[in-house]
Amino acid sequence: MTMTANDTAATDFNDPLLGSNFKGYPRTQPPRRRSEVGAAGWNVLAGDLPLPLAVLKREALEHNLAWMQSRVREWGIDLAPHGKTTMSPQLFQRQLDAGAWGLTFATVTQLAVGVAAGARRTLIANQVVSDEDLAGIQMLLAGHADLRIVFLVDSLAQLALIEDWAKRHPASVPFEVMLEIGVQGARTGCRTHEEAIALATRVRASDAAKLVGIETYEGQGATGASEPDTAYATTLMDRVEAVARHCDTNKLFETDEVLVSAGGSAIFDLVAGRLKPVLGAPVRGLLRSGCYVTHDHGFYKRMVSVVDERLGCECGEGLTPAMEVWANVQSRPEPGLAILSVGKRDISFDLSLPVPIARAARGALQPQGVPAGWKITALNDQHAYLRWDESEEADAPKVGDRVGLGISHPCTTFDKWHWMPVVENDYRVSDAVAMHF
């Protein structure tokens, strides 16, 4: 059967051809489709792929997907994980297959990638204001009869822009919107109850939009200390519930099922129990955590360790880091310093610097732990500075050794790669994912 242009485009999107023009792909190997990488017989520690290289651990990925889905099921809510974390169609599909209700995005451009990957229930956890983005949403809706797109509103000025666009495009359908409740000094969202009610009332009177829910984001106020975080999340969710009750009582919602959504990846347990307030209409609570899929060895490890303490032993083993970035030791220019072949173009550094977690001598197929004193102290574009105590000089790395690094903040490592191999615990490559940033 002859493939059409649409068939070819779909194949290239879902199963792109990878080759040496992609960072991390072996220059000595012929191009392969993403789905063929697992059959190539490669092993990261055997030197089959060039370093630096970001990898995903399959077993940890599967554990995290199941763990979070189990949590939301126990809490009686649903998961709409944030797709901006990975922007990977293959990981989107794993999340949906695991039971996610839908997917969340930050922009219409990201949303379009999710729709192409098969998402049909979608949130944009952000305000939409431009003509191009409003038109893009309408185009996507027109092209997919089963697609739902909901975005956020937080001001009368934004609503006026939406109404102006709709007036100029009378054939458009009303936009589904959620009212965002914001936090003083943080980013978007209505700052006061009165402001939120005034906006909700205006949306109800508008032909261009219809109010289907209430949303907030608690992550910017998280500290990692249970007492202040609990008080902060409780106050915020009290505000969300008060607005939801007012909108329900005054029939401002135009939906058969009210959506109530919150949830970053740091204190998600503190908002999860407040996502189904008792209203006159059915409520669907949606948690939007995204970084759980790979977790990390830094910021989220610290934050979620406190979540684990609050959940106690009922939750079983918590989230497990699933992403590592491996690099060569390329130079030992002075005592106590090794330069690694990885830098800001390869690994996240916005929340904290990478953490050495493993080493493998040249030719070794099994990784070992690293001395406690090993520390990354700085990154350049393509170099990392690994330092250690003088007392650990006998165990110092050698030129040609490999060092595995854990990261903080998966989002800003994913966006530095076009693809990543998925590996088994012995670093055999068994699959691959592609990213669309």
Side-chain angles (χ1 to χ4, degrees):
M1 184 172 64
T2 304
M3 289 185 67
T4 67
N6 286 340
D7 292 334
T8 301
T11 298
D12 289 342
F13 175 80
N14 291 302
D15 198 18
L17 186 67
L18 306 177
S20 58
N21 55 319
F22 287 83
K23 180 171 66 173
Y25 193 93
R27 299 195 66 83
T28 56
Q29 292 288 321
R32 287 176 170 81
R33 291 284 177 188
R34 180 207 57 79
S35 61
E36 298 170 339
V37 166
W42 298 338
N43 186 303
V44 174
L45 297 186
D48 295 327
L49 299 99
L51 304 185
L53 183 68
V55 304
L56 301 175
K57 308 289 283 292
R58 180 188 61 81
E59 289 189 11
L61 274 177
E62 293 179 355
H63 167 81
N64 293 342
L65 290 165
W67 187 92
M68 186 60 87
Q69 201 63 49
S70 178
R71 298 289 75 70
V72 296
R73 186 167 55 249
E74 290 174 1
W75 290 326
I77 59 176
D78 284 286
L79 188 63
H82 214 314
K84 71 176 174 61
T85 297
T86 71
M87 288 306 296
S88 169
Q90 294 75 41
L91 294 177
F92 292 166
Q93 194 58 58
R94 288 184 186 224
Q95 291 171 307
L96 293 169
D97 288 347
W101 173 87
L103 294 173
T104 299
F105 300 95
T107 68
V108 178
T109 298
Q110 292 176 0
L111 171 77
V113 173
V115 172
R120 291 298 178 264
R121 298 188 188 112
T122 64
L123 307 179
I124 300 177
N126 217 345
Q127 283 66 36
V128 178
V129 298
S130 75
D131 284 6
E132 167 62 24
D133 282 343
L134 293 167
I137 289 174
Q138 291 285 332
M139 184 177 71
L140 287 167
L141 290 171
H144 304 276
D146 56 346
L147 175 61
R148 186 179 190 189
I149 300 171
V150 182
F151 64 85
L152 307 186
V153 293
D154 73 348
S155 70
L156 294 172
Q158 181 197 0
L159 180 60
L161 293 174
I162 295 168
E163 290 177 326
D164 175 67
W165 185 90
K167 189 179 299 184
R168 289 181 280 116
H169 299 83
S172 62
V173 299
F175 294 97
E176 288 193 281
V177 299
M178 299 175 74
L179 187 69
E180 181 171 27
I181 306 304
V183 176
Q184 194 68 34
R187 52 194 193 202
T188 51
C190 298
R191 294 316 201 234
T192 68
H193 181 83
E194 292 73 23
E195 182 184 353
I197 296 308
L199 179 56
T201 302
R202 273 286 290 111
V203 172
R204 183 65 179 87
S206 176
D207 293 328
K210 56 182 182 178
L211 188 64
V212 300
I214 309 291
E215 183 273 353
T216 195
Y217 172 62
E218 78 291 345
Q220 284 188 285
T223 66
S226 278
E227 187 172 348
D229 285 352
T230 300
Y232 159 73
T234 298
T235 299
L236 178 59
M237 296 311 294
D238 283 348
R239 292 178 56 208
V240 169
E241 185 166 337
V243 173
R245 288 186 182 280
H246 178 96
C247 292
D248 181 55
T249 300
N250 291 276
K251 303 188 184 307
L252 302 183
F253 291 121
E254 295 183 78
T255 180
D256 295 331
E257 178 184 70
V258 176
L259 304 179
V260 178
S261 179
S265 298
I267 56 170
F268 52 86
D269 63 309
L270 297 179
V271 297
R274 301 293 302 276
L275 295 180
K276 294 194 74 172
V278 178
L279 305 178
V283 176
R284 184 176 297 275
L286 294 175
L287 194 71
R288 301 193 310 276
S289 307
C291 293
Y292 77 93
V293 68
T294 61
H295 197 43
D296 70 16
H297 288 87
F299 176 78
Y300 286 111
K301 179 180 180 180
R302 177 175 68 84
M303 299 296 286
V304 177
S305 68
V306 185
V307 174
D308 291 341
E309 291 174 6
R310 288 194 292 264
L311 295 178
C313 61
E314 297 176 6
C315 72
E317 183 185 355
L319 295 173
T320 302
M323 181 187 288
E324 299 172 5
V325 180
W326 281 80
N328 290 306
V329 177
Q330 68 179 72
S331 179
R332 283 284 319 275
E334 60 190 58
L337 173 65
I339 302 298
L340 309 185
S341 62
V342 62
K344 292 180 180 179
R345 294 177 182 267
D346 313 302
I347 197 166
S348 55
F349 57 92
D350 54 314
L351 293 182
S352 62
L353 290 170
V355 181
I357 58 170
R359 65 188 296 188
R362 183 179 178 87
L365 293 179
Q366 296 295 327
Q368 298 178 324
V370 301
W374 282 22
K375 186 176 182 180
I376 300 296
T377 60
L379 294 175
N380 298 147
D381 277 3
Q382 309 283 184
H383 301 94
Y385 293 70
L386 172 63
R387 296 185 185 274
W388 55 90
D389 249 8
E390 287 183 11
S391 62
E392 296 174 329
E393 189 64 37
D395 203 20
K398 299 177 176 60
V399 172
D401 286 356
R402 286 76 56 81
V403 177
L405 301 173
I407 55 102
S408 271
H409 201 189
C411 303
T412 50
T413 295
F414 270 110
D415 68 5
K416 293 171 173 52
W417 297 84
H418 293 296
W419 78 290
M420 290 183 189
V422 177
V423 302
E424 302 303 307
N425 289 337
D426 61 2
Y427 293 91
R428 285 180 297 111
V429 176
S430 57
D431 199 356
V433 302
M435 279 70 74
H436 293 264
F437 283 96

